[in-house]
Amino acid sequence: MLVEILLILLTLFLGVYYWITKHYGYFKANGLAESPGSFPFGSEHMWQMMTRKISAIGCFIELIKKFPDDKLFGVYNFGQRSIVVNDMELAKRILIKDADHFIDRPAVDTEGATKEGDKIFALFLTNLKGEQWKKMRNLVSPVFTSGKLKMMVPHIEKCADNLDAVFASAAETGEILEAKDVFGKFTLDAIATSGFGIESNSFKNPDSIFRKTALRMVRAEGYGSIMDIPKFIFLFVFPKLARSLGVSIFPAGTSEFFAKILRQTVEERRKSGARRNDIIDLLLDEINKGNEDSKPDEDKDDTDVQLALISNAIIFFFAGFDTSSLTLATVIFSFMQKPSIQEKARQEILDVVGDSKTITAEHLKDLKYLENVINEALRFYGITSNLQRICNKDYKVPDSDFTIIKGMTINVETSGLAEECFFNPSELDPDNFDPSNNPNKFGFSGFGQGPRNCIGMRYAYIALKMALVKTLTKYKVVKC
């Protein structure tokens, strides 16, 4: 019996070994530079990431320095072949000019999903591909125009006003505040009111079921599990097997909780006709407009339409909550590293806002230096320097004999383009984004590039600027 078990285990090991290593050496054999792969993790960056020597966010930053003369090179993520692009013109082709070859992003396969949470995730804008993505993007894009978002500013300001009480108390008592925690409560409240029609105060009610469920959903610190990363890798590599075993992308009950809230809110508004000019209202407007424009005999699945609304409201939260609080914390860190930046940003706020008792969309739009500060903090600290795409049809690389084959993952690492794009790339300097210094914003990936850039970028700037205005107008942030 023991021999049979050992033979089975050996067979399984050899099968996994073959599956992971079968493509190793592919790039070298096809005339492209590569970071060699080794079992089980693949190339050097994967070994460093899996052994927790580097973060997943910055896994290519050091690797590209080993290929200074190569426009692109190959890497292996476990057994997956991937390309890393380190050339401005090729990056522009992939993300913009020839984007029709690279329109999709890496995503978990959700085909055949039966759980509501998995169905909602399948309709996330970030998870959709091809024509499905184009259709959903066209539906959602009108919601995030400057004119529509302008109506949400009062809701966001009301949430930002809660920061004042927290800062006033800390200034009086000398309490040390953790920036990501403080701004996490603000961003949660802002998204709750803008996306879910719920007015909450996470500073007064930090243990509310809405906040706790939200933190569970994004697996915030203290709410995640050591098994989250292995589960995600399992879902990504073996999606159908994972689903058959009951593994889901969301923690149990979280997406269902928010879906129930959204359904109740939509039903109440349809009955009462009440409006708040938030994401729900604007999405309903676009859905109703689409129904009016459709042909009378065209089949409409109300369940799919409702799921589309729910999924877009949830991704608005899922994609914006943690990223916004992290960005604000990073900006605060930059203020402490260079106090002169903080002083200049404060002076701009005083000049633009003056004695106005309310912050308007026009005020926020005119805070140009503050926007440069946000962009520079994201650029310099490398929070998002890698843009990923999937090749959806074979693409011959210009001026090269190499062809990127369908299904291959492309990584555009913008940190390697900084020298070409900014006048002072090695320093934390908001003037890197000043128009007078001719910045090439293609070297900045904070909100993506090309047709699949971040649809919520305008909302993000409104929320980020609002929080910083309320912070800097009356207070000075210092190191503890």
Side-chain angles (χ1 to χ4, degrees), residues 139 285-295 298 300:
L139 170 69
D285 289 345
E286 293 306 314
I287 289 171
N288 292 335
K289 188 188 299 180
N291 289 340
E292 291 172 3
D293 294 341
S294 62
K295 297 177 182 178
E298 190 175 301
K300 302 185 195 70

Side-chain angles (χ1 to χ4, degrees), residues 102-395:
F102 306 94
I103 203 65
D104 297 332
R105 295 172 62 175
V108 175
D109 181 10
T110 54
E111 185 179 352
T114 56
K115 288 184 179 180
E116 183 178 50
D118 292 335
K119 289 181 179 179
I120 290 170
F121 179 70
L123 289 171
F124 271 19
L125 200 57
T126 51
N127 213 43
L128 292 173
K129 297 181 178 181
E131 290 302 315
Q132 278 189 314
W133 167 78
K134 289 180 183 178
K135 184 178 178 181
M136 187 69 78
R137 180 90 181 197
N138 289 336
L139 170 69
V140 177
S141 290
V143 173
F144 291 94
T145 61
S146 299
K148 298 283 181 66
L149 291 174
K150 182 178 179 179
M151 297 185 286
M152 295 185 207
V153 172
H155 297 311
I156 299 171
E157 182 176 20
K158 188 174 180 180
C159 297
D161 284 336
N162 295 330
L163 289 167
D164 186 61
V166 175
F167 293 148
S169 175
E172 185 176 339
T173 64
E175 178 188 1
I176 295 173
L177 299 175
E178 202 282 304
K180 191 170 185 299
D181 177 65
V182 171
F183 290 116
K185 291 174 181 174
F186 157 72
T187 54
L188 178 63
D189 290 345
I191 291 173
T193 189
S194 301
F196 291 82
I198 293 175
E199 293 193 7
S200 63
N201 188 334
S202 294
F203 297 102
K204 288 185 177 180
N205 303 300
D207 296 323
S208 70
I209 187 170
F210 187 92
R211 181 169 183 266
K212 283 195 168 184
T213 306
L215 293 173
R216 280 184 58 224
M217 189 177 197
V218 299
R219 296 174 172 88
E221 187 176 353
Y223 290 83
S225 164
I226 195 172
M227 292 302 295
D228 284 339
I229 293 179
K231 279 172 63 177
F232 183 77
I233 293 174
F234 186 43
L235 265 167
F236 199 83
V237 179
F238 305 108
K240 293 181 180 178
L241 177 60
R243 283 199 300 276
S244 69
L245 295 173
V247 180
S248 180
I249 196 74
F250 296 124
T254 54
S255 59
E256 293 82 357
F257 172 82
F258 292 113
K260 183 179 179 181
I261 291 175
L262 287 162
R263 284 195 177 98
Q264 289 174 344
T265 304
V266 169
E267 188 63 26
E268 288 170 5
R269 293 195 191 176
R270 279 177 169 167
K271 285 181 178 179
S272 67
R275 288 187 65 90
R276 293 181 75 251
N277 292 318
D278 54 17
I279 295 292
I280 295 177
D281 282 339
L282 298 177
L283 279 172
L284 281 173
D285 289 345
E286 293 306 314
I287 289 171
N288 292 335
K289 188 188 299 180
N291 289 340
E292 291 172 3
D293 294 341
S294 62
K295 297 177 182 178
D297 59 344
E298 190 175 301
D299 291 333
K300 302 185 195 70
D301 189 332
D302 190 56
T303 302
D304 288 346
V305 169
Q306 195 175 70
L307 272 180
L309 185 151
I310 289 169
S311 68
N312 281 290
I314 290 179
I315 195 178
F316 178 61
F317 161 77
F318 194 75
F321 166 50
D322 202 51
T323 51
S324 295
S325 59
L326 179 59
T327 298
L328 285 166
T330 306
V331 171
I332 295 300
F333 182 73
S334 71
F335 286 158
M336 293 188 290
Q337 294 299 106
K338 283 196 171 183
S340 60
I341 295 176
Q342 179 179 176
E343 294 307 319
K344 190 171 179 179
R346 179 181 292 106
Q347 189 58 54
E348 181 190 50
I349 291 169
L350 295 175
D351 291 342
V352 170
V353 178
D355 297 327
S356 177
K357 296 187 182 301
T358 59
I359 310 300
T360 66
E362 287 70 26
H363 287 145
L364 299 175
K365 184 179 178 181
D366 289 340
L367 293 172
K368 304 297 185 183
Y369 181 76
L370 190 62
E371 185 169 317
N372 292 347
V373 170
I374 293 168
N375 291 342
E376 179 65 359
L378 287 171
R379 182 202 72 83
F380 184 75
Y381 293 109
I383 293 177
T384 50
S385 62
N386 179 27
L387 301 176
Q388 289 189 314
R389 298 291 185 268
I390 299 294
C391 180
N392 54 283
K393 50 187 174 181
D394 290 357
Y395 180 78

Side-chain angles (χ1 to χ4, degrees), residues 2-187:
L2 179 61
V3 174
E4 286 85 349
I5 293 173
L6 289 174
L7 285 173
I8 291 171
L9 292 175
L10 178 61
T11 302
L12 288 173
F13 172 78
L14 291 175
V16 171
Y17 182 87
Y18 170 76
W19 182 77
I20 288 178
T21 62
K22 64 181 178 180
H23 292 306
Y24 286 178
Y26 170 86
F27 297 109
K28 185 177 180 180
N30 285 275
L32 195 69
E34 68 170 38
S35 177
S38 59
F39 183 83
F41 300 133
S43 296
E44 178 186 351
H45 72 289
M46 285 297 294
W47 278 90
Q48 291 180 324
M49 187 175 71
M50 296 304 292
T51 54
R52 306 188 74 174
K53 292 180 180 178
I54 59 172
S55 70
I57 292 174
C59 63
F60 292 121
I61 292 176
E62 292 301 319
L63 188 61
I64 60 171
K65 295 177 182 177
K66 298 184 179 181
F67 297 86
D69 300 320
D70 295 290
K71 292 182 178 181
L72 71 164
F73 59 90
V75 297
Y76 303 95
N77 304 325
F78 291 98
Q80 183 190 58
R81 293 166 290 180
S82 296
I83 296 286
V84 180
V85 175
N86 189 28
D87 175 75
M88 177 75 72
E89 290 308 312
L90 181 56
K92 285 181 179 179
R93 282 184 172 274
I94 287 172
L95 295 174
I96 300 175
K97 294 178 183 177
D98 298 327
D100 60 310
H101 285 74
F102 306 94
I103 203 65
D104 297 332
R105 295 172 62 175
V108 175
D109 181 10
T110 54
E111 185 179 352
T114 56
K115 288 184 179 180
E116 183 178 50
D118 292 335
K119 289 181 179 179
I120 290 170
F121 179 70
L123 289 171
F124 271 19
L125 200 57
T126 51
N127 213 43
L128 292 173
K129 297 181 178 181
E131 290 302 315
Q132 278 189 314
W133 167 78
K134 289 180 183 178
K135 184 178 178 181
M136 187 69 78
R137 180 90 181 197
N138 289 336
L139 170 69
V140 177
S141 290
V143 173
F144 291 94
T145 61
S146 299
K148 298 283 181 66
L149 291 174
K150 182 178 179 179
M151 297 185 286
M152 295 185 207
V153 172
H155 297 311
I156 299 171
E157 182 176 20
K158 188 174 180 180
C159 297
D161 284 336
N162 295 330
L163 289 167
D164 186 61
V166 175
F167 293 148
S169 175
E172 185 176 339
T173 64
E175 178 188 1
I176 295 173
L177 299 175
E178 202 282 304
K180 191 170 185 299
D181 177 65
V182 171
F183 290 116
K185 291 174 181 174
F186 157 72
T187 54

